[in-house]
Every structure is written in structure tokens, then in C-alpha cells.
Amino acid sequence: MDKKKIVMGSAIVAFSMMLSSFGFYFWQMIYSPNFLVEQDPKPLMIRTGSTFKEVQNQLYNGRYVNDLVSFSFLSKMMDYDKLVKPGLYLIEPGMTNVQVIRMLRSGDQTEVNVTFNNARLLSDLPEKLTRNLEITEEQLANLILNDSIQQSLGFDSLNFIGMFIPNTYKMWWNTTPDNLLSRLKKEYDKFWHAERLAKAKEMGLTPKEVSVLASIVQAETIQSDELKVVAGLYYNRIRRGIPLMADPTLVFASRDFEIRRVLNKHKTIDSPYNTYINAGLPPGPINMPHINSLDAVLNYDKHKYLYMCAKEDFSGRHNFATNLIDHNRNAEKFQRAMNKAGIYK
């Protein structure tokens, strides 16, 4: 056989094998699993302003990807290297390069839960609100504690905490501080729908005043079945022009949140939150009231109670009274129990 033909044949065979190998590798690049193989699902958080190189480093250092070269090659072919979008993306086990690139390129994020359920002071909120978000506590604090921002949303520094309705909200991980506050204001407006507004109006209270009263009710009892009773008691006092004389407001006024026993000296604190010497509601909530506390005020129990005192068994429940004589008896029982237990502060 002609040597030339042999060489040519060999070259053709070699080229065909190479073409076949390249074709198989290209097929693997597109269709073979390349992410979290035999691992669990894992979120990938791409920070705002990240470059494609930084995404590559994240995927490699975080052990998301098996073959970074094939991912990088296809990313450039599909222009993802020029279209990096921040966000939180859930990478599933066995995803292919194309699946991941399409998800990242389109910005198809997975939402995160923003959950907050208790705060005593406005300054407590940034840490709670930013736990699952890209924004920092400092960034959010700069907005939340800003007087002009509070006013632009219809509040002031004393009542702004009432805008935050405790719940779990679905949000994008890379939501901005401005968008976060805007979303929470929308949730506040949504909470105060026509039915709730009508109930507040019937009571002669504004939504902000309901929040203040709800915060006091919430601080007074840990028993959910007592909330409406306590709300009715304080509403009775408001209607009759009787000072609320709510011990939790004295604790708030003192800023000593370790107080377990309110004493006569606390009743003389010079503060607008001292409901022993100031009639009506204090100027703002003494905590961030929960939804059930707000609804307890709007759906208060109608009764004749004007006084309440913690039960002497320290169960967290209360004795209620319609008159001062019965209340003083209840108070004496509780004071004796406190003395016996050695609780002096």
C-alpha cells in the first residue's frame, strides 16, 4: 500500500478520534452533572459588585464545582462572565454547567426568610433584620435611627418601632436597606386593613396608639389567654381617665430591664413613660408588639376590671379586680410571696 495513503488514513483516523473525543467532552460539559456531586444542596451567595473571577473562586473554594475549566469555558460562551448578578442561589446536587449558568445569568434567586419577633428598643432591630441579608447592621441602623427617614415614613423616633410588624417575610438576600424599609412599611399598611382601622376608630384610638397600648399589654402578661382581658382593663382606665399605672412602663422609663420588682422609688421617675404620674398613653411603644397583642387590643374583652396583680404562685398569671379593696388584697398576697422568695429588686 502507498505510504502516502497509509499516512493520510492514519491522520484521518487520528483526527476522527480527536474530534470524537472533543465532541464527547463538549457533550459532558453541557449535560453531565458538575455541581455538588454526591453532596447536599448548598446556597451560593454572590455579593453585590462581584466579578466573574470572584464567582469562580467562590465555586472552587466552596467545593461547589467538580470541573471549573468546563464551567468557565461555557460561561464565556454564554456571556455569563459579563452578566454576573448578585443574589443567593440554591445550587442543587447534580446540576449541570448549563443549568447553573442559566440560573446565575438570569438572576433566578432563592428567597430568604426575614424573621423578627421581639425587640425592646429600636436599636435592637438592625441585628435581627439583617441576619439573613447581605446588608450589614450598621447600614440598616443608619436608616432606622435617622429622624428624617422615620418622618418620611410617617413616624418619629418614639413610635417608629411600631411600624415593624413581627412576622416572617420572604425577601431577596441582596435587598437594599431602602427596599427593606419600604417593604416593611407596605407590610404595616397591609396589616392595617379597613377592618382593623374601623375597630381602632371605634375605640377612639389611632393605629399608633393601638401599638402603644398593645406593647403595654404584651409586657404585662405572657399568657395568651389573658391578653384580651388585660387590654380590656387598660381600655377601661383610658375611657375613665384613670392613669394606667402599668409597671412595665416604669421599667422602660428606668432603662433597667433587669428589674423584677417595681418599688415606690420607681413610681417617681421623671419620664413621659411613667404612667403613674402621667395620664393616658405614653408617647411610644415600650417594645415591638406582636400581631396577637395588637389584635388583642382591637378585640379587647368587655368587662369591669380596673386592677390587676400578678398571682402569688409566680405562674405568670394574674388576679383581676373591679375595685381597689380587692386589688389591695391581691397585692398584699403577691408582696408576701415576693418577700418570702427574697426578690428585692
Side-chain angles (χ1 to χ4, degrees):
M1 185 181 285
D2 191 321
K3 275 186 178 181
K4 224 174 188 182
K5 288 183 180 179
I6 292 174
V7 171
M8 182 66 71
S10 297
I12 292 172
V13 170
F15 179 75
S16 297
M17 290 177 65
M18 183 180 69
L19 194 63
S20 176
S21 297
F22 181 76
F24 179 68
Y25 178 66
F26 193 75
W27 184 90
Q28 280 188 314
M29 277 198 296
I30 297 174
Y31 298 109
S32 292
N34 194 34
F35 284 82
L36 300 181
V37 177
E38 296 183 0
Q39 296 185 54
D40 295 324
K42 189 159 66 169
L44 172 69
M45 287 164 280
I46 300 176
R47 301 196 71 83
T48 300
S50 291
T51 64
F52 178 60
K53 181 64 177 175
E54 288 170 331
V55 174
Q56 288 175 303
N57 290 338
Q58 273 188 269
L59 293 173
Y60 180 78
N61 294 331
R63 302 179 67 182
Y64 289 88
V65 63
N66 281 11
D67 180 6
L68 183 62
V69 173
S70 64
F71 168 79
S72 301
F73 177 76
L74 273 181
S75 291
K76 291 178 180 179
M77 286 187 65
M78 297 172 70
D79 288 333
Y80 172 60
D81 59 322
K82 303 169 188 171
L83 296 168
V84 174
K85 294 180 180 178
L88 182 146
Y89 302 90
L90 184 63
I91 308 298
E92 299 282 357
M95 289 184 80
T96 65
N97 285 323
V98 170
Q99 287 174 319
V100 170
I101 293 167
R102 284 175 177 166
M103 178 173 67
L104 300 181
R105 189 180 63 177
S106 67
D108 186 14
Q109 295 188 56
T110 296
E111 291 179 311
V112 297
N113 289 331
V114 174
T115 301
F116 55 99
N117 51 28
N118 60 72
R120 194 188 299 273
L121 301 171
L122 192 59
S123 56
D124 297 333
L125 281 174
E127 184 271 330
K128 297 175 184 296
L129 290 172
T130 59
R131 281 175 186 160
N132 289 341
L133 299 176
E134 179 184 20
I135 58 179
T136 65
E137 291 180 42
E138 184 180 5
Q139 288 173 319
L140 189 57
N142 288 337
L143 287 188
I144 283 182
L145 303 177
N146 184 299
D147 290 345
S148 61
I149 297 294
Q150 295 165 359
Q151 290 166 13
S152 71
L153 293 167
F155 296 85
D156 59 37
S157 60
L158 300 179
N159 59 36
F160 191 41
I161 195 170
M163 190 196 83
F164 299 87
I165 306 295
N167 212 332
T168 295
Y169 302 100
K170 294 282 187 183
M171 296 188 191
W172 300 126
W173 172 76
N174 62 319
T175 191
T176 65
D178 286 332
N179 286 341
L180 174 59
L181 281 190
S182 177
R183 166 69 185 281
L184 293 175
K185 176 57 165 63
K186 287 178 182 177
E187 295 295 341
Y188 174 84
D189 293 336
K190 189 189 300 183
F191 174 83
W192 282 105
H193 52 60
E195 183 181 352
R196 286 192 173 106
L197 287 172
K199 287 180 177 180
K201 185 177 181 180
E202 187 179 343
M203 296 176 70
L205 301 175
T206 65
K208 292 186 181 72
E209 289 172 330
V210 171
S211 292
V212 175
L213 182 52
S215 73
I216 296 172
V217 170
Q218 180 170 293
E220 281 284 19
T221 181
I222 59 172
Q223 306 296 334
S224 59
D225 62 332
E226 284 191 350
L227 288 172
K228 292 182 181 180
V229 181
V230 176
L233 183 153
Y234 282 123
Y235 187 55
N236 287 343
R237 295 182 76 94
I238 290 172
R239 285 189 301 179
R240 297 191 187 191
I242 304 172
L244 298 185
M245 296 185 180
D247 287 356
T249 64
L250 299 182
V251 175
F252 187 83
S254 74
R255 290 300 195 271
D256 180 1
F257 301 121
E258 301 300 317
I259 292 174
R260 297 179 61 195
R261 184 173 188 173
V262 171
L263 305 173
N264 286 331
K265 67 177 182 179
H266 298 122
K267 297 175 183 178
T268 63
I269 294 173
D270 183 14
S271 167
Y273 289 91
N274 184 339
T275 56
Y276 276 78
I277 59 177
N278 298 297
L281 292 166
I286 60 172
N287 55 53
M288 183 175 61
H290 299 168
I291 289 175
N292 60 346
S293 301
L294 293 162
D295 281 338
V297 170
L298 295 173
N299 300 281
Y300 66 93
D301 278 357
K302 295 177 174 62
H303 52 62
K304 296 183 179 180
Y305 295 137
L306 292 171
Y307 304 92
M308 62 184 292
C309 181
K311 283 194 171 183
E312 61 279 9
D313 61 1
F314 301 115
S315 62
R317 307 192 71 81
H318 294 82
N319 289 313
F320 297 94
T322 60
N323 60 81
L324 191 55
I325 293 174
D326 288 343
H327 172 65
N328 285 338
R329 288 190 187 120
N330 293 332
E332 285 173 13
K333 287 188 288 186
F334 183 64
Q335 294 297 336
R336 284 196 300 269
M338 292 274 279
N339 291 335
K340 187 176 180 180
I343 300 172
Y344 299 109
K345 181 186 177 187

